[in-house]
Amino acid sequence: MGPIHYDINIEQAKDHIIEVTASLLKPKGKQTVRLPSWIPGSYLIREFSKDIIKISAKQNGRSKKINQLTKNTWSIDCQEDHELKINYLIFARDASVRTAWLDLDRCFFNGSSVFLSADGFESEKHTVAIKKPSFNSNWKLATSLVSSKVDLKGFGVFEAENYQELIDCPVEMGDFWTGQFIACGVKHRVVVTGAPITFDGSKLLNDVKKICEYQIHFWHGKKKPVIEHYLFLLWAVNDGYGGLEHKNSTALIANRSDLPRVNQGKPTDGYIQLLGLFSHEYFHTWNIKRLRPVEFNSLDLTQENYTELLWFFEGFTSYFDDLILVRCGLIEISDYLKLLSKTLNQVLQTPGRNIHSAAQASFEAWTKYYRPQPNTANITVSYYTKGALIALCLDLTLRLITVTQDHSDEKIKPFFTLDDVMRKLWVDCKGGLMSEMHLLKAIKDLTHVNLNQKINDWVHSTRELPTLELLKNFGVEAKFEPSQWAQKLGLRIAESSGPNLIVKQVLDGGIAQKAGICEGDEWLAIEVISRKKGGQSQSWRINKLDDIQLYAGEHRFINALISRDKKMTQIKIDLKEMYNNKTLRLIQSDPSRLSKWLTQ
Ligand SMILES: [Zn+2]
């Protein structure tokens, strides 16, 4: 047992309650304990303490008064250096990768939802004991915490060098599927919970292994990798998507239908997306978990920690995640261009790109990106997608710079790439803290060309990126196709609205906004107004916006029949300005030029 130890009891699975007993061997006279308010990697104050049901303390076998100081801190007047035990219950039923979950099928938790930290002891060794539940003998346990004494199923005692390490190692328990592989000498384990019997585990292991080997080479060449072991925890659900990166592991959530199936053949779009998620979170092992913003030197888990650099850490990771799939041969070039087209369209169809720069979007992630509301698309831009396009523009710009300097001491490279810049940053920053200045300097040192002004424009202004011009140089052309009706009208429909059309967002400048449609409107029907004098108008019930094409065709005016707060309203929409609205599709026009980017 370390100076601070936790016992985890999951017997109350039916009630979704995790019981924790934290034992502090030598507490202070006035001992304060606290729970984080957010989890690193997910930039939102989540107030994990809201899930604590009750908390009590004991010393020398007697109850001690526990004083709550704030929403997430408590203090106990103790007899110094006598063991203090704090017992508390946590409600665990959040179906995401960010908090905790417990039922009779599965238990998952992040330490930030479960372990109270003890002031003054954060740098000490922390130990945890997790007992196998009595209700299911098939359960196993997987975590990247170092085990000090565990049974064959993985239950037992674990340790962490400090509190930060303790909360960076999520724990999964259940009757899950598990497999492993060695990549560049590093043991990788993959755990999948919720997989159907048709799941092809060896296909997933083979494909993920390729990604891991590629990325280890990417960062380290033939040198020793920075990781000694790695764990992927995937929860397969009916409907879900997301991931959260950790130093030696990642927690993922994805659709069950996106898992590879035995004898499936060509990868489905869903499986490609799943591989992209594996690739993304694994890339974070280097890009944000080690190489990280200088502002993240010491994280304050009680409040927002601001950085302007998420366009780099999330955006560049988003650029490389799919690019690595095509470089590994896991997807076709046409698949990759489809994914890139989607990213480009997402940015181009977000009016907020004219309001927020990528740096501003990063800084305000806590209140804008992570707190989506009806106006979000009009006031900010995703630092994932815009950041990925900045990475693309930078990569292509670098590849167009002719290398002229003397490289007498090494093999002459015809051009530099963003890979070179990432590796140089890794070396320059010693795999640690970095700022935007380090990026600019790494580029200048490598290429002897000053790209500061360009990068400043892309990152700190709202000017359009030169994406399509640059892609042309690499044999990629953009074709334009008619958009979906939601885009033509300038609105977004709520995905969970089922057969009813509920307006979720109204985009700035769109014809829906001009006509007066509002967020929350339920669009029931359209009346198509005849163009002919004395012609009959027609009314149609609609369940999807694309039905407008069938019923209105080339007619200029329609009336939208709207239910707003249950009051029926008719809104006249002029469709005239809409027909120019196009969605872009990237196609390969010159394979030899394209190969200079995608395969080198
Ligand atoms: Zn990410």
PDB file of all heavy atoms in Angstrom, residues 559-589:
ATOM      1  N   ASN A 559     -44.218  27.715 -49.532  1.00  0.00           N
ATOM      2  CA  ASN A 559     -44.577  28.091 -48.165  1.00  0.00           C
ATOM      3  C   ASN A 559     -44.223  26.920 -47.262  1.00  0.00           C
ATOM      4  O   ASN A 559     -44.590  25.779 -47.543  1.00  0.00           O
ATOM      5  CB  ASN A 559     -46.076  28.371 -48.044  1.00  0.00           C
ATOM      6  CG  ASN A 559     -46.416  29.757 -48.533  1.00  0.00           C
ATOM      7  OD1 ASN A 559     -45.645  30.697 -48.321  1.00  0.00           O
ATOM      8  ND2 ASN A 559     -47.556  29.891 -49.204  1.00  0.00           N
ATOM      9  N   ALA A 560     -43.467  27.227 -46.197  1.00  0.00           N
ATOM     10  CA  ALA A 560     -43.159  26.177 -45.226  1.00  0.00           C
ATOM     11  C   ALA A 560     -44.220  26.237 -44.137  1.00  0.00           C
ATOM     12  O   ALA A 560     -44.503  27.318 -43.605  1.00  0.00           O
ATOM     13  CB  ALA A 560     -41.783  26.406 -44.626  1.00  0.00           C
ATOM     14  N   LEU A 561     -44.831  25.088 -43.851  1.00  0.00           N
ATOM     15  CA  LEU A 561     -45.810  25.039 -42.766  1.00  0.00           C
ATOM     16  C   LEU A 561     -45.072  24.582 -41.510  1.00  0.00           C
ATOM     17  O   LEU A 561     -44.533  23.472 -41.462  1.00  0.00           O
ATOM     18  CB  LEU A 561     -46.924  24.050 -43.109  1.00  0.00           C
ATOM     19  CG  LEU A 561     -48.087  24.034 -42.131  1.00  0.00           C
ATOM     20  CD1 LEU A 561     -48.839  25.371 -42.144  1.00  0.00           C
ATOM     21  CD2 LEU A 561     -49.059  22.897 -42.481  1.00  0.00           C
ATOM     22  N   ILE A 562     -45.026  25.489 -40.551  1.00  0.00           N
ATOM     23  CA  ILE A 562     -44.154  25.299 -39.384  1.00  0.00           C
ATOM     24  C   ILE A 562     -44.994  25.235 -38.119  1.00  0.00           C
ATOM     25  O   ILE A 562     -45.940  26.010 -37.964  1.00  0.00           O
ATOM     26  CB  ILE A 562     -43.204  26.526 -39.260  1.00  0.00           C
ATOM     27  CG1 ILE A 562     -42.295  26.660 -40.477  1.00  0.00           C
ATOM     28  CG2 ILE A 562     -42.418  26.523 -37.958  1.00  0.00           C
ATOM     29  CD1 ILE A 562     -41.142  25.717 -40.540  1.00  0.00           C
ATOM     30  N   SER A 563     -44.616  24.334 -37.218  1.00  0.00           N
ATOM     31  CA  SER A 563     -45.189  24.358 -35.870  1.00  0.00           C
ATOM     32  C   SER A 563     -44.116  24.922 -34.943  1.00  0.00           C
ATOM     33  O   SER A 563     -43.041  24.351 -34.806  1.00  0.00           O
ATOM     34  CB  SER A 563     -45.564  22.931 -35.449  1.00  0.00           C
ATOM     35  OG  SER A 563     -45.688  22.876 -34.048  1.00  0.00           O
ATOM     36  N   ARG A 564     -44.438  26.090 -34.360  1.00  0.00           N
ATOM     37  CA  ARG A 564     -43.476  26.751 -33.479  1.00  0.00           C
ATOM     38  C   ARG A 564     -44.131  26.902 -32.109  1.00  0.00           C
ATOM     39  O   ARG A 564     -45.127  27.611 -31.982  1.00  0.00           O
ATOM     40  CB  ARG A 564     -43.102  28.112 -34.058  1.00  0.00           C
ATOM     41  CG  ARG A 564     -42.053  28.863 -33.273  1.00  0.00           C
ATOM     42  CD  ARG A 564     -41.676  30.175 -33.957  1.00  0.00           C
ATOM     43  NE  ARG A 564     -40.993  29.960 -35.232  1.00  0.00           N
ATOM     44  CZ  ARG A 564     -40.761  30.938 -36.130  1.00  0.00           C
ATOM     45  NH1 ARG A 564     -41.177  32.173 -35.887  1.00  0.00           N
ATOM     46  NH2 ARG A 564     -40.141  30.663 -37.260  1.00  0.00           N
ATOM     47  N   ASP A 565     -43.623  26.178 -31.143  1.00  0.00           N
ATOM     48  CA  ASP A 565     -44.258  26.176 -29.815  1.00  0.00           C
ATOM     49  C   ASP A 565     -45.744  25.808 -29.955  1.00  0.00           C
ATOM     50  O   ASP A 565     -46.611  26.387 -29.322  1.00  0.00           O
ATOM     51  CB  ASP A 565     -44.063  27.545 -29.137  1.00  0.00           C
ATOM     52  CG  ASP A 565     -44.433  27.511 -27.670  1.00  0.00           C
ATOM     53  OD1 ASP A 565     -44.303  26.432 -27.053  1.00  0.00           O
ATOM     54  OD2 ASP A 565     -44.869  28.553 -27.134  1.00  0.00           O
ATOM     55  N   LYS A 566     -45.980  24.838 -30.882  1.00  0.00           N
ATOM     56  CA  LYS A 566     -47.318  24.304 -31.175  1.00  0.00           C
ATOM     57  C   LYS A 566     -48.246  25.284 -31.897  1.00  0.00           C
ATOM     58  O   LYS A 566     -49.407  25.001 -32.129  1.00  0.00           O
ATOM     59  CB  LYS A 566     -48.019  23.780 -29.902  1.00  0.00           C
ATOM     60  CG  LYS A 566     -47.282  22.641 -29.224  1.00  0.00           C
ATOM     61  CD  LYS A 566     -47.367  21.361 -30.030  1.00  0.00           C
ATOM     62  CE  LYS A 566     -46.696  20.217 -29.274  1.00  0.00           C
ATOM     63  NZ  LYS A 566     -45.815  19.444 -30.142  1.00  0.00           N
ATOM     64  N   LYS A 567     -47.752  26.458 -32.242  1.00  0.00           N
ATOM     65  CA  LYS A 567     -48.565  27.405 -32.999  1.00  0.00           C
ATOM     66  C   LYS A 567     -48.195  27.259 -34.479  1.00  0.00           C
ATOM     67  O   LYS A 567     -47.018  27.242 -34.826  1.00  0.00           O
ATOM     68  CB  LYS A 567     -48.266  28.829 -32.518  1.00  0.00           C
ATOM     69  CG  LYS A 567     -49.125  29.896 -33.118  1.00  0.00           C
ATOM     70  CD  LYS A 567     -48.940  31.210 -32.340  1.00  0.00           C
ATOM     71  CE  LYS A 567     -49.787  32.290 -32.963  1.00  0.00           C
ATOM     72  NZ  LYS A 567     -49.084  33.112 -33.926  1.00  0.00           N
ATOM     73  N   MET A 568     -49.235  27.112 -35.341  1.00  0.00           N
ATOM     74  CA  MET A 568     -48.949  26.901 -36.753  1.00  0.00           C
ATOM     75  C   MET A 568     -48.632  28.233 -37.433  1.00  0.00           C
ATOM     76  O   MET A 568     -49.312  29.228 -37.229  1.00  0.00           O
ATOM     77  CB  MET A 568     -50.160  26.262 -37.443  1.00  0.00           C
ATOM     78  CG  MET A 568     -50.581  24.943 -36.842  1.00  0.00           C
ATOM     79  SD  MET A 568     -49.248  23.748 -36.772  1.00  0.00           S
ATOM     80  CE  MET A 568     -49.039  23.466 -38.501  1.00  0.00           C
ATOM     81  N   THR A 569     -47.573  28.209 -38.258  1.00  0.00           N
ATOM     82  CA  THR A 569     -47.134  29.412 -38.954  1.00  0.00           C
ATOM     83  C   THR A 569     -46.782  29.046 -40.396  1.00  0.00           C
ATOM     84  O   THR A 569     -46.267  27.955 -40.642  1.00  0.00           O
ATOM     85  CB  THR A 569     -45.842  29.968 -38.286  1.00  0.00           C
ATOM     86  OG1 THR A 569     -46.069  30.047 -36.898  1.00  0.00           O
ATOM     87  CG2 THR A 569     -45.458  31.334 -38.808  1.00  0.00           C
ATOM     88  N   GLN A 570     -47.034  29.958 -41.307  1.00  0.00           N
ATOM     89  CA  GLN A 570     -46.613  29.744 -42.695  1.00  0.00           C
ATOM     90  C   GLN A 570     -45.474  30.688 -43.015  1.00  0.00           C
ATOM     91  O   GLN A 570     -45.564  31.884 -42.739  1.00  0.00           O
ATOM     92  CB  GLN A 570     -47.781  30.042 -43.632  1.00  0.00           C
ATOM     93  CG  GLN A 570     -48.574  28.812 -43.965  1.00  0.00           C
ATOM     94  CD  GLN A 570     -49.291  28.969 -45.295  1.00  0.00           C
ATOM     95  OE1 GLN A 570     -48.881  29.743 -46.151  1.00  0.00           O
ATOM     96  NE2 GLN A 570     -50.360  28.221 -45.466  1.00  0.00           N
ATOM     97  N   ILE A 571     -44.399  30.167 -43.583  1.00  0.00           N
ATOM     98  CA  ILE A 571     -43.261  31.024 -43.916  1.00  0.00           C
ATOM     99  C   ILE A 571     -42.971  30.888 -45.414  1.00  0.00           C
ATOM    100  O   ILE A 571     -42.768  29.779 -45.913  1.00  0.00           O
ATOM    101  CB  ILE A 571     -42.030  30.635 -43.070  1.00  0.00           C
ATOM    102  CG1 ILE A 571     -42.303  30.973 -41.598  1.00  0.00           C
ATOM    103  CG2 ILE A 571     -40.775  31.345 -43.563  1.00  0.00           C
ATOM    104  CD1 ILE A 571     -41.230  30.553 -40.643  1.00  0.00           C
ATOM    105  N   LYS A 572     -42.962  32.024 -46.093  1.00  0.00           N
ATOM    106  CA  LYS A 572     -42.710  31.996 -47.546  1.00  0.00           C
ATOM    107  C   LYS A 572     -41.202  31.978 -47.800  1.00  0.00           C
ATOM    108  O   LYS A 572     -40.452  32.782 -47.229  1.00  0.00           O
ATOM    109  CB  LYS A 572     -43.338  33.235 -48.194  1.00  0.00           C
ATOM    110  CG  LYS A 572     -43.341  33.149 -49.694  1.00  0.00           C
ATOM    111  CD  LYS A 572     -44.136  34.308 -50.289  1.00  0.00           C
ATOM    112  CE  LYS A 572     -44.215  34.170 -51.793  1.00  0.00           C
ATOM    113  NZ  LYS A 572     -44.937  35.277 -52.387  1.00  0.00           N
ATOM    114  N   ILE A 573     -40.746  31.035 -48.613  1.00  0.00           N
ATOM    115  CA  ILE A 573     -39.310  30.924 -48.905  1.00  0.00           C
ATOM    116  C   ILE A 573     -39.080  31.112 -50.393  1.00  0.00           C
ATOM    117  O   ILE A 573     -39.710  30.466 -51.225  1.00  0.00           O
ATOM    118  CB  ILE A 573     -38.762  29.545 -48.471  1.00  0.00           C
ATOM    119  CG1 ILE A 573     -39.009  29.326 -46.972  1.00  0.00           C
ATOM    120  CG2 ILE A 573     -37.265  29.442 -48.749  1.00  0.00           C
ATOM    121  CD1 ILE A 573     -38.573  27.964 -46.467  1.00  0.00           C
ATOM    122  N   ASP A 574     -38.152  32.023 -50.689  1.00  0.00           N
ATOM    123  CA  ASP A 574     -37.762  32.264 -52.067  1.00  0.00           C
ATOM    124  C   ASP A 574     -36.539  31.389 -52.357  1.00  0.00           C
ATOM    125  O   ASP A 574     -35.476  31.598 -51.786  1.00  0.00           O
ATOM    126  CB  ASP A 574     -37.416  33.761 -52.225  1.00  0.00           C
ATOM    127  CG  ASP A 574     -37.048  34.112 -53.659  1.00  0.00           C
ATOM    128  OD1 ASP A 574     -36.874  33.173 -54.470  1.00  0.00           O
ATOM    129  OD2 ASP A 574     -36.920  35.312 -53.958  1.00  0.00           O
ATOM    130  N   LEU A 575     -36.708  30.407 -53.220  1.00  0.00           N
ATOM    131  CA  LEU A 575     -35.629  29.451 -53.469  1.00  0.00           C
ATOM    132  C   LEU A 575     -34.643  29.936 -54.539  1.00  0.00           C
ATOM    133  O   LEU A 575     -33.694  29.238 -54.869  1.00  0.00           O
ATOM    134  CB  LEU A 575     -36.214  28.102 -53.909  1.00  0.00           C
ATOM    135  CG  LEU A 575     -37.149  27.404 -52.896  1.00  0.00           C
ATOM    136  CD1 LEU A 575     -37.749  26.156 -53.515  1.00  0.00           C
ATOM    137  CD2 LEU A 575     -36.410  27.049 -51.620  1.00  0.00           C
ATOM    138  N   LYS A 576     -34.853  31.128 -55.043  1.00  0.00           N
ATOM    139  CA  LYS A 576     -34.087  31.590 -56.210  1.00  0.00           C
ATOM    140  C   LYS A 576     -32.568  31.569 -55.984  1.00  0.00           C
ATOM    141  O   LYS A 576     -31.810  31.082 -56.803  1.00  0.00           O
ATOM    142  CB  LYS A 576     -34.534  32.997 -56.583  1.00  0.00           C
ATOM    143  CG  LYS A 576     -33.969  33.430 -57.925  1.00  0.00           C
ATOM    144  CD  LYS A 576     -34.333  34.854 -58.217  1.00  0.00           C
ATOM    145  CE  LYS A 576     -33.422  35.446 -59.271  1.00  0.00           C
ATOM    146  NZ  LYS A 576     -33.328  36.887 -59.108  1.00  0.00           N
ATOM    147  N   GLU A 577     -32.164  32.107 -54.832  1.00  0.00           N
ATOM    148  CA  GLU A 577     -30.723  32.266 -54.626  1.00  0.00           C
ATOM    149  C   GLU A 577     -30.024  30.978 -54.240  1.00  0.00           C
ATOM    150  O   GLU A 577     -28.824  30.945 -54.040  1.00  0.00           O
ATOM    151  CB  GLU A 577     -30.479  33.304 -53.521  1.00  0.00           C
ATOM    152  CG  GLU A 577     -30.790  34.698 -53.969  1.00  0.00           C
ATOM    153  CD  GLU A 577     -30.792  35.654 -52.794  1.00  0.00           C
ATOM    154  OE1 GLU A 577     -29.949  35.468 -51.909  1.00  0.00           O
ATOM    155  OE2 GLU A 577     -31.644  36.541 -52.778  1.00  0.00           O
ATOM    156  N   MET A 578     -30.804  29.927 -54.135  1.00  0.00           N
ATOM    157  CA  MET A 578     -30.268  28.727 -53.541  1.00  0.00           C
ATOM    158  C   MET A 578     -29.522  27.848 -54.523  1.00  0.00           C
ATOM    159  O   MET A 578     -28.635  27.101 -54.153  1.00  0.00           O
ATOM    160  CB  MET A 578     -31.456  27.983 -52.988  1.00  0.00           C
ATOM    161  CG  MET A 578     -31.190  26.750 -52.312  1.00  0.00           C
ATOM    162  SD  MET A 578     -32.758  25.929 -52.281  1.00  0.00           S
ATOM    163  CE  MET A 578     -33.033  25.693 -53.998  1.00  0.00           C
ATOM    164  N   TYR A 579     -29.856  27.949 -55.795  1.00  0.00           N
ATOM    165  CA  TYR A 579     -29.357  26.943 -56.722  1.00  0.00           C
ATOM    166  C   TYR A 579     -27.862  27.003 -56.983  1.00  0.00           C
ATOM    167  O   TYR A 579     -27.278  26.116 -57.570  1.00  0.00           O
ATOM    168  CB  TYR A 579     -30.171  26.993 -58.024  1.00  0.00           C
ATOM    169  CG  TYR A 579     -31.579  26.517 -57.790  1.00  0.00           C
ATOM    170  CD1 TYR A 579     -32.627  27.423 -57.709  1.00  0.00           C
ATOM    171  CD2 TYR A 579     -31.850  25.174 -57.562  1.00  0.00           C
ATOM    172  CE1 TYR A 579     -33.919  27.008 -57.444  1.00  0.00           C
ATOM    173  CE2 TYR A 579     -33.134  24.746 -57.297  1.00  0.00           C
ATOM    174  CZ  TYR A 579     -34.171  25.657 -57.238  1.00  0.00           C
ATOM    175  OH  TYR A 579     -35.437  25.232 -56.973  1.00  0.00           O
ATOM    176  N   ASN A 580     -27.212  28.077 -56.561  1.00  0.00           N
ATOM    177  CA  ASN A 580     -25.762  28.151 -56.730  1.00  0.00           C
ATOM    178  C   ASN A 580     -25.037  27.345 -55.664  1.00  0.00           C
ATOM    179  O   ASN A 580     -23.836  27.166 -55.741  1.00  0.00           O
ATOM    180  CB  ASN A 580     -25.284  29.605 -56.623  1.00  0.00           C
ATOM    181  CG  ASN A 580     -25.860  30.412 -57.749  1.00  0.00           C
ATOM    182  OD1 ASN A 580     -26.059  29.869 -58.822  1.00  0.00           O
ATOM    183  ND2 ASN A 580     -26.147  31.672 -57.497  1.00  0.00           N
ATOM    184  N   ASN A 581     -25.769  26.916 -54.672  1.00  0.00           N
ATOM    185  CA  ASN A 581     -25.107  26.275 -53.557  1.00  0.00           C
ATOM    186  C   ASN A 581     -24.571  24.897 -53.939  1.00  0.00           C
ATOM    187  O   ASN A 581     -25.309  24.010 -54.297  1.00  0.00           O
ATOM    188  CB  ASN A 581     -26.087  26.147 -52.394  1.00  0.00           C
ATOM    189  CG  ASN A 581     -25.333  25.978 -51.127  1.00  0.00           C
ATOM    190  OD1 ASN A 581     -24.440  25.157 -51.054  1.00  0.00           O
ATOM    191  ND2 ASN A 581     -25.673  26.770 -50.155  1.00  0.00           N
ATOM    192  N   LYS A 582     -23.262  24.762 -53.853  1.00  0.00           N
ATOM    193  CA  LYS A 582     -22.633  23.529 -54.312  1.00  0.00           C
ATOM    194  C   LYS A 582     -21.793  22.897 -53.191  1.00  0.00           C
ATOM    195  O   LYS A 582     -21.271  23.592 -52.336  1.00  0.00           O
ATOM    196  CB  LYS A 582     -21.706  23.834 -55.495  1.00  0.00           C
ATOM    197  CG  LYS A 582     -22.414  24.400 -56.707  1.00  0.00           C
ATOM    198  CD  LYS A 582     -23.059  23.297 -57.526  1.00  0.00           C
ATOM    199  CE  LYS A 582     -23.419  23.748 -58.915  1.00  0.00           C
ATOM    200  NZ  LYS A 582     -24.583  24.635 -58.972  1.00  0.00           N
ATOM    201  N   THR A 583     -21.686  21.593 -53.283  1.00  0.00           N
ATOM    202  CA  THR A 583     -20.813  20.864 -52.372  1.00  0.00           C
ATOM    203  C   THR A 583     -19.653  20.326 -53.179  1.00  0.00           C
ATOM    204  O   THR A 583     -19.827  19.913 -54.325  1.00  0.00           O
ATOM    205  CB  THR A 583     -21.612  19.725 -51.702  1.00  0.00           C
ATOM    206  OG1 THR A 583     -22.605  20.326 -50.882  1.00  0.00           O
ATOM    207  CG2 THR A 583     -20.734  18.855 -50.832  1.00  0.00           C
ATOM    208  N   LEU A 584     -18.490  20.339 -52.549  1.00  0.00           N
ATOM    209  CA  LEU A 584     -17.282  20.024 -53.296  1.00  0.00           C
ATOM    210  C   LEU A 584     -16.908  18.545 -53.175  1.00  0.00           C
ATOM    211  O   LEU A 584     -17.147  17.930 -52.140  1.00  0.00           O
ATOM    212  CB  LEU A 584     -16.263  20.951 -52.713  1.00  0.00           C
ATOM    213  CG  LEU A 584     -14.789  20.903 -52.753  1.00  0.00           C
ATOM    214  CD1 LEU A 584     -14.304  22.263 -52.334  1.00  0.00           C
ATOM    215  CD2 LEU A 584     -14.237  19.829 -51.899  1.00  0.00           C
ATOM    216  N   ARG A 585     -16.355  18.010 -54.276  1.00  0.00           N
ATOM    217  CA  ARG A 585     -15.871  16.619 -54.244  1.00  0.00           C
ATOM    218  C   ARG A 585     -14.493  16.589 -54.888  1.00  0.00           C
ATOM    219  O   ARG A 585     -14.315  17.063 -56.008  1.00  0.00           O
ATOM    220  CB  ARG A 585     -16.836  15.709 -55.020  1.00  0.00           C
ATOM    221  CG  ARG A 585     -16.450  14.238 -54.952  1.00  0.00           C
ATOM    222  CD  ARG A 585     -17.614  13.374 -55.421  1.00  0.00           C
ATOM    223  NE  ARG A 585     -17.962  13.649 -56.813  1.00  0.00           N
ATOM    224  CZ  ARG A 585     -17.433  12.980 -57.860  1.00  0.00           C
ATOM    225  NH1 ARG A 585     -16.580  12.013 -57.671  1.00  0.00           N
ATOM    226  NH2 ARG A 585     -17.794  13.289 -59.090  1.00  0.00           N
ATOM    227  N   LEU A 586     -13.503  16.090 -54.145  1.00  0.00           N
ATOM    228  CA  LEU A 586     -12.135  16.049 -54.658  1.00  0.00           C
ATOM    229  C   LEU A 586     -11.941  14.788 -55.493  1.00  0.00           C
ATOM    230  O   LEU A 586     -12.364  13.705 -55.079  1.00  0.00           O
ATOM    231  CB  LEU A 586     -11.132  16.047 -53.502  1.00  0.00           C
ATOM    232  CG  LEU A 586     -11.122  17.296 -52.611  1.00  0.00           C
ATOM    233  CD1 LEU A 586     -10.199  17.088 -51.420  1.00  0.00           C
ATOM    234  CD2 LEU A 586     -10.701  18.536 -53.398  1.00  0.00           C
ATOM    235  N   ILE A 587     -11.308  14.969 -56.632  1.00  0.00           N
ATOM    236  CA  ILE A 587     -11.009  13.783 -57.446  1.00  0.00           C
ATOM    237  C   ILE A 587      -9.544  13.833 -57.890  1.00  0.00           C
ATOM    238  O   ILE A 587      -8.952  14.901 -57.992  1.00  0.00           O
ATOM    239  CB  ILE A 587     -11.910  13.670 -58.698  1.00  0.00           C
ATOM    240  CG1 ILE A 587     -11.904  15.001 -59.463  1.00  0.00           C
ATOM    241  CG2 ILE A 587     -13.328  13.272 -58.345  1.00  0.00           C
ATOM    242  CD1 ILE A 587     -12.288  14.829 -60.896  1.00  0.00           C
ATOM    243  N   GLN A 588      -9.014  12.684 -58.156  1.00  0.00           N
ATOM    244  CA  GLN A 588      -7.614  12.638 -58.569  1.00  0.00           C
ATOM    245  C   GLN A 588      -7.530  12.873 -60.064  1.00  0.00           C
ATOM    246  O   GLN A 588      -8.218  12.239 -60.853  1.00  0.00           O
ATOM    247  CB  GLN A 588      -7.039  11.334 -58.034  1.00  0.00           C
ATOM    248  CG  GLN A 588      -6.745  10.233 -58.903  1.00  0.00           C
ATOM    249  CD  GLN A 588      -5.967   9.122 -58.225  1.00  0.00           C
ATOM    250  OE1 GLN A 588      -4.784   9.025 -58.468  1.00  0.00           O
ATOM    251  NE2 GLN A 588      -6.602   8.284 -57.424  1.00  0.00           N
ATOM    252  N   SER A 589      -6.697  13.889 -60.455  1.00  0.00           N
ATOM    253  CA  SER A 589      -6.596  14.206 -61.880  1.00  0.00           C
ATOM    254  C   SER A 589      -5.220  13.833 -62.416  1.00  0.00           C
ATOM    255  O   SER A 589      -5.046  13.715 -63.620  1.00  0.00           O
ATOM    256  CB  SER A 589      -6.870  15.692 -62.109  1.00  0.00           C
ATOM    257  OG  SER A 589      -5.949  16.456 -61.370  1.00  0.00           O
TER     258      SER A 589
END
